[in-house]
Amino acid sequence: SRSAPSGVTLAERARRVIPGGVNSGQRSIPGLTEMVIARASGARFWDADGRQYTDYHAAFGPPLLGHNDPDVNAAVAEAGTRVDLCGVAVTHGEIQLAETLAELVPSIEKVLLTSTGSEATFHALRVARAATGRRLVVKFQGCYHGWHDSVSLNVISAPDRVGVPDPISTGILPEVLDATLVLRFNDVAAVRAAFAAHGDDIAAVIVEPVPHNVGCLLPDQEFLQALRDECTRAGSVLVFDEVITGFRHDLGGWQRISGVTPDLTTLGKAIANGYPIGALGGRADLMDLFSTRPGAPAFFAGTYNGHPAVVAAALATLGKLRAEPVHEHVYRLGERARAGIAEALADLGVPAVVTGHGSVFVTYFMPGPAPRSYDDLLRNDAGMFIGYRRRMPEHGIFELPLNLKRNHISYAHTDADIDHLVEATRAAVRDTLASGGTTELAGTATMGGAVAGGEGR
Ligand code: PMP
C-alpha cells in the first residue's frame, strides 16, 4: 500500500494555499510548523508522522469529555438521520437547549445560539449599546473576547504597552478602539475611577471572570462584586465572558461559583465538547431587544445558528456532564497535577507558581505569590515556560509551547496520565535548566514575554 504523506510534505502543501499554513491564529507554532494533525481520541492525538501525544492543550478548551466522545458523536449522527439545517422557524433541539441553559446558568432567562464565542461577545456588546444608548466598553488586561474590533486588543502586551490600547491587528478603525477602556484585572480602585469619570457613557463591562487567556488569574470576590455594584449603580450592562469557564468549571459557570450574577453571559467551547457552537444569554429584557419583530432595536442573525447537529452535540455534552462525575474527576486530577508538579519543581529548586482551577493548570516560572493581574505575569520567565513545553513531546505529551497558555484535563485523562505528566514535567524542566533554557529561548524575538496575541491570532 502507498504510505501516507509525511507531515513535512503536507505542511508544505498547506503553506502554498493557506496563509501561514493554518486556519486560526496561534495554530502555527515556532518549532512545530511541520506538525499536521491526523487523528484524535480520548486524551490523545496523533500527528501525520504517527507520533502520539497526551493532549493538555485540548484545542484551547472545548473537549472536556475528551476527544471524539462516543456519546456526543452518536448524538450528532442520530440528528443527521432526522434533520439538518432548514433555516426557518425553530427545532425541538434548540428549544431543549435553551431550556437547559436557562435552567443551569443563573443569569440566563433567555438565550440565543451562535456558531462561535466571538459572535456571542460581539452581540453582547451590540445589545448593551442598544439598551443603554452609550458608547464605551470596559475590558481588562489579560482577557480575550474574540477577534472583532471592539475587543481586538492584545491580551499579552509588551511591558511598555501595559494599560495602553494595543490593537491586535491593523485594519481596525481607531474610533472603535477609542471606545474601549482597558483596566487592570482585580483592581477595584481602577473600576471605581473609570465609573466616576465615565459612568454615564459606559454601555458594558466585559470580563473573563477568570482570565484564562493568560493562564489563570483568580478573581478577588470583592472585584467581581465591585463590577456588579458599579454596573448596577450606573445602569451599565455587566457581561461575564464564560466561553472558557462555562461548563468546564461548573455547569452554572463561574457565576454560580462566585455567586455574582452578570446581566449577560457568553458561552462556547466546552458547551458541545468541540462542535462549533456559542451562546449569548441573560436578562430577558435585554435579550428581547434582539426580537426579530419589525422595529426591534438589535439585529441578530446567522445562517448556521442552531444547526441541529451541533445542538445535538451540546445536548449530549450537557447531558453527560450532568449524569456522570465529570467535574469530580477533572477537579481531582487537576489537584493531583498541580500538587505533583509543584513538588517536582520544588525538588529541582526552580522558582515557580503552579496555579489554575479545577481541570485547568498552568505553571509560571516566577517566585510567588500567585499573580493577581496581568502585570504580575511580566515576571514570568518566558524562556522556561516555553522551553520545557518544547521538550514535552519527547515524553509523548503536548502542552502548547506559547507563553502564558493554560493546560486542560479531560474526563478521558487517567491517574496514570497525571503520574506520567508530573514525571515528564520534572524531566523537561530539568533538561531546560541544564541547557541554560532561560537565556537560549528568552533571547529569541518571537519567544519573549512581550509576544502579542490572544487565541484568535
Ligand atoms: N471569549 C473567550 C474567553 C475566549 O477564550 C475565546 C476564544 N479563545 C473567545 C471568547 C472567542 O471564541 P471563538 O474563538 O469561538 O470565536
Side-chain angles (χ1 to χ4, degrees):
S1 66
R2 267 196 308 151
S3 61
S6 70
V8 176
T9 309
L10 288 169
E12 173 56 31
R13 274 172 57 191
R15 281 190 290 270
R16 257 182 252 137
V17 284
I18 302 171
V22 294
N23 271 303
S24 183
Q26 305 213 324
R27 285 190 193 168
S28 176
I29 310 297
L32 288 176
T33 49
E34 310 306 330
M35 177 185 252
V36 172
I37 304 300
R39 193 157 76 81
S41 176
R44 292 175 240 290
F45 68 77
W46 289 260
D47 68 20
D49 298 309
R51 281 182 289 258
Q52 175 184 296
Y53 306 85
T54 301
D55 183 17
Y56 292 95
H57 168 47
F60 295 104
L64 177 55
L65 299 174
H67 287 288
N68 259 320
D69 181 82
D71 299 317
V72 177
N73 284 356
V76 170
E78 191 281 328
T81 65
R82 283 183 287 114
V83 64
D84 72 348
L85 192 66
C86 295
V88 63
V90 68
T91 57
H92 190 188
E94 289 165 85
I95 299 165
Q96 288 175 301
L97 182 53
E99 286 170 348
T100 304
L101 296 174
E103 185 189 333
L104 289 174
V105 183
S107 65
I108 295 187
E109 295 171 353
K110 290 194 174 182
V111 59
L112 285 163
L113 301 178
T114 61
S115 297
T116 66
S118 294
E119 292 165 89
T121 59
F122 175 91
H123 285 293
L125 300 183
R126 169 177 282 181
V127 80
R129 285 178 167 135
T132 59
R134 300 175 184 177
R135 196 172 136 263
L136 296 177
V137 164
V138 171
K139 79 176 282 293
F140 295 90
Q141 287 165 7
C143 295
Y144 177 75
H145 304 293
W147 40 254
H148 51 89
D149 288 359
S150 285
V151 290
S152 284
L153 295 152
N154 285 317
V155 296
I156 304 170
S157 297
D160 62 343
R161 306 270 320 168
V162 170
V164 180
D166 190 8
I168 207 167
S169 174
T170 51
I172 299 172
L173 292 174
E175 300 89 297
V176 178
L177 288 184
D178 286 349
T180 305
L181 304 179
V182 185
L183 306 183
R184 183 178 277 115
F185 189 76
N186 268 338
D187 189 339
V188 173
V191 171
R192 301 233 193 270
F195 271 92
H198 308 288
D200 291 348
D201 200 22
I202 295 176
V205 172
I206 186 166
V207 65
E208 280 184 77
V210 182
H212 277 316
N213 274 282
V214 286
C216 181
L217 303 176
L218 290 169
D220 295 339
Q221 183 67 18
E222 66 155 339
F223 173 72
L224 296 180
Q225 192 58 52
L227 298 182
R228 179 65 280 172
D229 295 345
E230 291 295 330
C231 283
T232 302
R233 186 160 27 234
S236 310
V237 176
L238 178 60
V239 184
F240 274 11
D241 181 354
E242 300 230 37
V243 164
I244 296 174
T245 51
F247 311 112
R248 178 165 283 280
H249 292 332
D250 191 285
L251 280 163
W254 197 266
Q255 54 200 266
R256 195 161 91 178
I257 293 173
S258 67
V260 178
T261 307
D263 301 301
L264 294 175
T265 300
T266 54
L267 298 163
K269 298 204 180 199
I271 189 175
N273 210 50
Y275 285 90
I277 184 167
L280 167 64
R283 270 169 41 199
D285 63 313
L286 292 172
M287 294 303 296
D288 278 337
L289 298 177
F290 284 122
S291 157
T292 50
R293 278 194 302 278
F299 181 72
F300 179 87
T303 300
Y304 302 116
N305 291 353
H307 189 293
V310 294
V311 167
L315 285 169
T317 300
L318 298 180
K320 193 157 173 173
L321 292 178
R322 297 176 97 166
E324 298 194 23
V326 176
H327 287 106
E328 185 189 318
H329 179 81
V330 298
Y331 269 66
R332 188 176 64 75
L333 294 195
E335 282 305 317
R336 282 201 58 206
R338 283 184 290 274
I341 292 166
E343 193 184 320
L345 299 193
D347 289 350
L348 293 172
V350 185
V353 173
V354 186
T355 184
H357 179 89
S359 60
V360 172
F361 66 96
V362 60
T363 302
Y364 300 117
F365 290 85
M366 57 189 253
R372 295 179 57 254
S373 72
Y374 169 70
D375 11 346
D376 291 342
L377 296 176
L378 297 174
R379 291 187 288 125
N380 169 55
D381 183 331
M384 284 301 300
F385 192 102
I386 297 160
Y388 94 90
R389 287 176 176 220
R390 284 186 160 195
R391 286 182 167 78
M392 292 298 268
E394 293 165 20
H395 305 275
I397 289 176
F398 193 83
E399 296 184 358
L400 195 67
L402 287 180
N403 198 22
L404 304 184
K405 290 301 165 197
R406 66 200 174 276
N407 294 300
H408 310 81
I409 292 168
S410 79
Y411 194 41
H413 288 83
T414 64
D415 281 279
D417 287 326
I418 302 302
D419 292 340
H420 178 216
L421 167 75
V422 169
E423 287 321 305
T425 306
R426 182 196 302 271
V429 170
R430 189 191 54 221
D431 291 350
T432 308
L433 283 172
S435 71
T438 50
T439 44
E440 176 218 331
L441 286 158
T444 337
T446 52
M447 293 287 135
V451 185
E455 290 172 10
R457 277 186 63 114

